[in-house]
Amino acid sequence: DSGVTQTPKHLITATGQRVTLRCSPRSGDLSVYWYQQSLDQGLQFLIQYYNGEERAKGNILERFSAQQFPDLHSELNLSSLELGDSALYFCASSVGSGSGQETQYFGPGTRLLVL
Amino acid sequence: GQNIDQPTEMTATEGAIVQINCTYQTSGFNGLFWYQQHAGEAPTFLSYNVLDGLEEKGRFSSFLSRSKGYSYLLLKELQMKDSASYLCAVGRDSNYQLIWGAGTKLIIKP
């Protein structure tokens, strides 16, 4: 158990819909990262927040947005869902601002299926 | 550009030793991570190297050569539970995000 929690574990929805994924980092961690992993694919970095502020952006679609709240939990919002958005979505956290030296600890993921 | 190369798949025998290689080309270097990921599960941290040399941790060891842009993960006394994907990731000093390799799927046969 990494200490990172994600809800829900599974999500089934229809094309065109909007969903929200939630992540709570490890106690004391200030950075939250979001990743997408499609079937048999590598990890795709989406976005990082540090202490409530956006720190780094990866290949995140405009239909996707995220935020980190004062209690440091984070939410990833996916809208106008398409079949290709079906994937595992992981949240990870690290202790500081993520200088490239910090270990990231991953949550169990949310498996999203868009029908 | 930024690039990390790992073999796509490797097969080894239970009880044997296997070496998984990772080569990288990145602008700036702040350390290299290895993670293990079982199918459908979260990646779990295995090791971090920032200086050249070998780091040993039980059955797993990780090696780094910064001048060659090269790392390997060495797994000894292989067990069936070691069947997983192994991900190599590089941290850069100019950016906060890690650059991830596509992963090496390791299949252990009895």
Side-chain angles (χ1 to χ4, degrees):
Chain A
D1 184 355
S2 68
V4 179
T5 60
Q6 288 186 249
T7 56
K9 287 186 179 178
H10 303 277
L11 201 47
I12 302 175
T13 188
T15 54
Q17 295 298 304
R18 171 189 168 95
V19 297
T20 297
L21 312 184
R22 182 188 168 103
C23 167
S24 291
R26 293 187 320 159
S27 177
D29 282 1
L30 298 178
S31 275
V32 168
Y33 310 78
W34 286 98
Y35 291 89
Q36 180 193 56
Q37 188 174 42
S38 301
L39 189 63
D40 291 333
Q41 299 294 311
L43 283 172
Q44 297 297 319
F45 169 72
L46 296 178
I47 198 164
Q48 178 204 355
Y49 279 82
Y50 166 66
N51 206 21
E53 300 288 328
E54 182 184 305
R55 176 70 79 171
K57 215 167 188 177
N59 298 323
I60 187 167
L61 299 172
E62 284 191 12
R63 299 184 286 110
F64 296 1
S65 65
Q67 54 185 324
Q68 186 179 28
F69 295 87
D71 67 352
L72 300 177
H73 91 270
S74 178
E75 293 182 356
L76 179 67
N77 300 295
L78 315 176
S79 62
S80 303
L81 284 167
E82 303 175 357
L83 296 178
D85 298 327
S86 295
L88 262 172
Y89 290 84
F90 289 109
C91 164
S93 72
S94 70
V95 64
S97 61
S99 63
Q101 289 183 312
E102 293 177 11
T103 300
Q104 295 181 22
Y105 295 92
F106 284 76
T110 293
R111 186 176 295 276
L112 173 67
L113 180 60
V114 182
L115 300 175
Chain B
Q2 323 298 328
N3 195 46
I4 295 182
D5 286 316
Q6 304 180 237
T8 304
E9 188 174 296
M10 299 181 69
T11 302
T13 304
E14 190 176 15
I17 299 173
V18 72
Q19 178 176 310
I20 302 174
N21 295 325
C22 170
T23 58
Y24 63 90
Q25 289 179 310
T26 60
S27 55
F29 178 82
N30 224 7
L32 187 143
F33 296 85
W34 283 98
Y35 282 79
Q36 180 191 60
Q37 186 179 26
H38 286 100
E41 298 183 10
T44 54
F45 169 72
L46 290 177
S47 68
Y48 170 70
N49 294 67
V50 66
L51 300 176
D52 288 353
L54 187 68
E55 296 272 347
E56 298 187 73
K57 202 184 282 187
R59 293 189 299 114
F60 292 8
S61 303
S62 56
F63 172 83
L64 175 68
S65 168
R66 289 172 298 173
S67 62
K68 295 182 180 178
Y70 168 70
S71 173
Y72 68 72
L73 182 68
L74 191 72
L75 292 75
K76 303 176 186 175
E77 301 169 16
L78 286 169
Q79 302 175 11
M80 297 304 293
K81 68 178 182 179
D82 298 329
S83 291
S85 286
Y86 291 85
L87 311 177
C88 168
V90 172
R92 298 176 294 158
D93 51 19
S94 59
N95 195 299
Y96 298 102
Q97 55 179 290
L98 298 182
I99 304 300
W100 291 85
T104 298
K105 184 176 181 180
L106 178 63
I107 299 168
I108 309 296
K109 295 186 174 179

